Each structure stands twice: as structure tokens, then as C-alpha cells.
Amino acid sequence: MEVVRMYGGQAPIFILKEGTDRVRGKSAQSNNIAAAKAVADAVRSTLGPKGMDKMLVDSMGDVVITNDGATILKEMDIEHPAAKMIIEVAKTQEQHCYDGTTSAVVIAGELLKRSEDLIEQNVHPTVICHGFRLASERAVELLEKHSTSVTDEDTLAEVAKTALTGKSASAVKAFLADICVRAVRSVGIEEDDGERSVDIDDIKVEKRQGGSIKGSTLIDGIILDKERVHSGMPRSVNDAKIALVNSAIEVKKTEVDAKIQITDPSMLAKFLEEEEGYLKGLVDKLHTSGANVLVCQKGIDDIAQHYLAKAGLFAIRRAKKSDMEALSKATGGRIVTNIDDLKSDDLGNAAKVDERKIGDSDMVFITGCPEAKSVSVLLRGGTEHVVDELRRAFDDAVGVISVAWEDGSVLTGGGSVMAALSRDLRIYAEGVGGREQMAIEAFAGALEVIPRTLSENAGLDPVNTIIELRKAHAEGKGTYGVNVFEGGVMDMKEANVIEPLRVVEQAIQSATETAVMILRIDDVISSKAVSGAGMDGMDFDM
């Protein structure tokens, strides 16, 4: 409870209600920094080609095995408010760049660790924040100098391989990278003015356990997790003309309550005959339009199913809205609401529509779509956990390819850019002067956490590695990074370790902004005690 003591015999005034915790000054800062560092340390061991995975078990007993930073932090049940701010860094990185989540969190943690040392030297937090902002702006400017342009599909494939290295799918990274590049190039749009854009949602992903990862495939069309509505329908249709209908193929019901009185058995027969005739008429209209495949967003009546099978149509019901839109983009068909309006021009085209048994269930493959602007990828793997992690790796790889293709700029990886920026910022700091210089030098040192962590995770001596790396960069070898496989340093350009410029830029910016926000907090008022995340300390053992 917060109490303001009054003098002169007056009663004390109670400001905060009972049970409220308050931590001020350096204690608040050190607690917040400790929480943020704990989160960064939790994911640090997953960074790089030699990074390890985490097994996360939730309260229901569900298991997630991954080394994706954003997924780990999302699955961890964290309550400390400062720790939650670090998780936001990973979320932002995931949304904007798809990769680099672990790097962003590790940089944020290191910035706070370095700032703690400066606070001990009586450097004011606002001075540190100003220095960090100057350093971040300068680093983003310098990134352009270190970047190169993307010119071909081979470079895009190397970007994907770099993102896949260190994940469970790294053994087949060349195979997966090829699928990712072809998928992005299929759905990517290049405007006349040179602007490029990719909508990742146009790449539909279906995953099935059973078989090996090498059984994964790219389809120039759409895969639907559905089956034919009637066993009498053909299992496969060549030269498919596809009708996309988002209304039900059944007798329409009245909008208001209606009662029909039937007094004669012949009237009932006539009534049923009329319903049957109506449904037969709908199927005849479909057939007359030239359609031999029907994809319906809503239900299909049993009688209509019989007539559709009799007419030799291949029909699917209750398709998702997103699948309907994807089919429209892939086949060139138009989604119609009223079958009466269906014309031959509205039909989509595909070379083949067939139902295949994949794992335990049937799936419908709509393939051979000319100029498909929506494609599908079927991912396979030995177990459910393998397929789930493969999906996360695939999303990262597709994401970084789309980012690199849109922006047209890439950087060398392996900690080479961070080491180069660190060297450039130290030179920049000398010209700034004042106490901000100390903050910029701390920022420069913090960026070296990436090559240092890469070497630590590979079992190398981090001190020797950083010394070798600094020596190489001093000799003008600006693309040299950590060789995690053989030790020492090597040219990352020759090794084809490449990542998009946007990934590094976003990681530096979001890490800086979060570190600055946490540093500016000098008072934590907690209205209730938070179990497991009190202000006295943190425990994030993984």
C-alpha cells in the first residue's frame, strides 16, 4: 500500500489500494533487465546451424519441438510484464520478416545487459536511450553499404537454404529451397514500374504425416482436404471445367415460418416430385454450362448428389471460403452465387482433378492450372511433430524468399554483417562525443553477441572467434563471418550464407526500440501479486 506521510498531526493519505506492489529506481530497472535477459537466454541456444531444439509441454500435455524463437516464446507461459515486451520483439519480427526472431530477441537482451553496466557507471538511462537510437539509425544507414542486389533464382534458393540451416529440415534444404522458390515465383506479382509483391496466403500448405520429407511436393493448382460427395462419381476428371458455387444445392427454405397442409397422398407425391424436379433442374443447368467439376461452398442435397453422379460430375461440398478464393485465382474461375447465372465463361480450367489417398484420408488434387496465381504445397514427414516443425521451417523459408524478392537486397550472414556494423559504429562513436559515445560503443559491442553466440552454440571458443573476426574485418574482409563447421572465420559470400536485408534491419530496430522502452521505466506499480513473475527475481530455466 502506498502511503503519503503527512506532518503537523494530519492523518496519512492512502494513494494505492491494499495489496499493490511498487518497485522504484534502480531496483525496478534491474528487475526488468533481469527478466528480459532471462527470456533472451531461454532462446539463445537455438541460434545458428548448430543451435539446439526446445521441447515445450503445455498444461494439456501437448508437445511442441522447435527451434523457432517466436514459437518457443509463444508457447512459454510468461507473465512478467518486461519479459512480455521482449516477446513482442519476436512477434513483430515474425510478422514482418518471417525469420530472425531469435536474433532480434538475443540482441535486445544484450543491449539491456550492456546498458546495465553503463547505469552502474552513473550514465543516465535517457542518455543511454539517446545513444542507442543514434547507433540504430546509423546501423540501418550502413546496412545499405553492405547489401547486394538479388539477381537470379539461385540467390533466392541460397537465401532459403540459409533460413533452413539449423532446423530439423536442414538435411533436405536444397530440395525444400527449390519448392519454396518455385512457389514464390508462381504467386509473385511484378508491376510495370518494377514494384514486386508476394501474398504468402496464395501459397496453400497441406501437411500429412507418413512417408518422408522428400515426399513433399509443389502443385500448380490447389489441394483440398475433401473427398467426392458420392461414390458413384468419377474418381478422376481430365480437362476439368470447374464451377465454383457458394450457394447450397438443395431446396430453398422460406425466410419466414411457413406451414404446408397436405390432405391427399397424391399431393405429397406431387410435392416430393416437385422438389426432386427442382434439384434435377439445378444439376441440368450445371451440366448445360459445360461444367464437369463442382466445388460448392455450402451443402449438397442427397438427391442432388445422385443426379450429379448420374450426370458424371465430380462434386465437392462445404469447401472453405479461403479455398474457394484460392481456386478462383488458380483456375481463373468466377465464384457464382446463383446457378441460374452460371455461364461457360465463369468456369475455371484445370488439366486434371482427381481424388488421391494421402496417409489415412482422401484429398482432392486440382492440377495443371494454366497461369495459376495460387499454388499448393503438400508437406510430408514421418511423425506429426516432424511435419509440424517442417511447416514452421517452410513458412520461414517462403517468407525470407518473398522478402528478398520484393526488396531485391540481401546481406551476408554468419554474423559477418553484425561484426562489420560493430566496427563501423565504434568509428562513428568517436565522432559523437559526450556520454552518448559510451552508449554507441555499448551498442556496437552488443551486436557482436550474434557471432559470439553462433560460435558458442557450435562449441567453439567465442573469445578467439571474435578476435579472429575483428582481425579479418580490420583487413577489409567485410563479408567474413563465423565458420561453425570447421572453426575460425570464412567468407560468407563464397559460402553462400545469405539473408534478406529487411530481416537484419527489422531485428536491429525492434530490439533497440524495446530496449529503450524498458530502460526508461523507473517505477513498476503492480496492482496484484503475479505468481511466478514477482518483482524479486526470475526463473526461466529451460
Side-chain angles (χ1 to χ4, degrees), residues 208-213 215-216 358-360 379-384 387:
R208 278 288 180 276
Q209 65 191 75
S212 74
I213 295 174
S216 303
I358 304 292
D360 295 335
L379 297 176
R380 305 297 303 273
T383 68
E384 187 184 344
V387 180

Side-chain angles (χ1 to χ4, degrees), residues 294-441:
L294 166 67
V295 181
C296 184
Q297 196 174 327
K298 303 215 168 105
I300 299 177
D301 191 279
D302 290 350
I303 296 167
Q305 289 176 27
H306 164 73
Y307 283 121
L308 286 165
K310 208 171 174 187
L313 268 77
F314 183 111
I316 300 161
R317 67 176 168 181
R318 305 206 186 282
K320 289 187 284 190
K321 186 184 177 186
S322 58
D323 288 346
M324 295 291 283
E325 288 167 356
L327 275 167
S328 179
K329 283 184 179 179
T331 64
R334 194 168 70 87
I335 300 168
V336 295
T337 304
N338 192 340
I339 290 178
D340 291 334
D341 298 335
L342 186 68
K343 304 184 189 70
S344 57
D345 294 346
D346 298 328
L347 303 177
N349 296 293
K352 190 175 186 182
V353 174
D354 63 323
E355 186 181 275
R356 302 179 202 171
K357 188 96 172 163
I358 304 292
D360 295 335
S361 57
D362 290 318
M363 298 179 88
V364 172
F365 286 68
I366 298 165
T367 56
C369 301
E371 298 177 22
K373 278 298 167 191
S374 184
V375 296
S376 294
V377 175
L378 177 64
L379 297 176
R380 305 297 303 273
T383 68
E384 187 184 344
H385 295 122
V386 170
V387 180
D388 286 344
E389 180 63 352
L390 179 64
R391 169 70 196 265
R392 285 188 282 270
F394 176 83
D395 287 345
D396 282 358
V398 164
V400 291
I401 290 171
S402 65
V403 165
W405 189 70
E406 282 177 353
D407 296 350
S409 295
V410 291
L411 303 162
T412 52
S416 59
V417 168
M418 294 304 180
L421 288 178
S422 178
R423 178 177 166 77
D424 292 341
L425 286 174
R426 282 195 175 95
I427 296 165
Y428 168 66
E430 291 170 8
V432 173
R435 293 200 169 195
E436 283 85 358
Q437 179 180 340
M438 296 171 75
I440 295 168
E441 284 172 351

Side-chain angles (χ1 to χ4, degrees), residues 277-290 307 311 339:
Y278 172 74
L279 291 170
K280 188 175 185 299
L282 288 179
V283 174
D284 287 343
K285 282 171 188 170
L286 278 167
H287 198 257
T288 306
S289 72
Y307 283 121
I339 290 178

Side-chain angles (χ1 to χ4, degrees), residues 262-272:
I262 294 172
T263 53
D264 186 343
S266 63
M267 282 173 71
L268 179 61
K270 212 170 189 181
F271 187 79
L272 293 171

Side-chain angles (χ1 to χ4, degrees), residues 237-284:
V237 175
N238 291 318
D239 191 21
K241 304 291 180 192
I242 304 162
L244 304 173
V245 179
N246 74 348
S247 61
I249 313 293
E250 53 192 31
V251 176
K252 286 182 182 175
K253 293 175 178 62
T254 55
E255 292 293 326
V256 292
D257 288 339
K259 202 179 275 185
I260 299 167
Q261 268 189 324
I262 294 172
T263 53
D264 186 343
S266 63
M267 282 173 71
L268 179 61
K270 212 170 189 181
F271 187 79
L272 293 171
E273 201 176 297
E274 188 67 32
E275 277 194 353
E276 206 170 305
Y278 172 74
L279 291 170
K280 188 175 185 299
L282 288 179
V283 174
D284 287 343

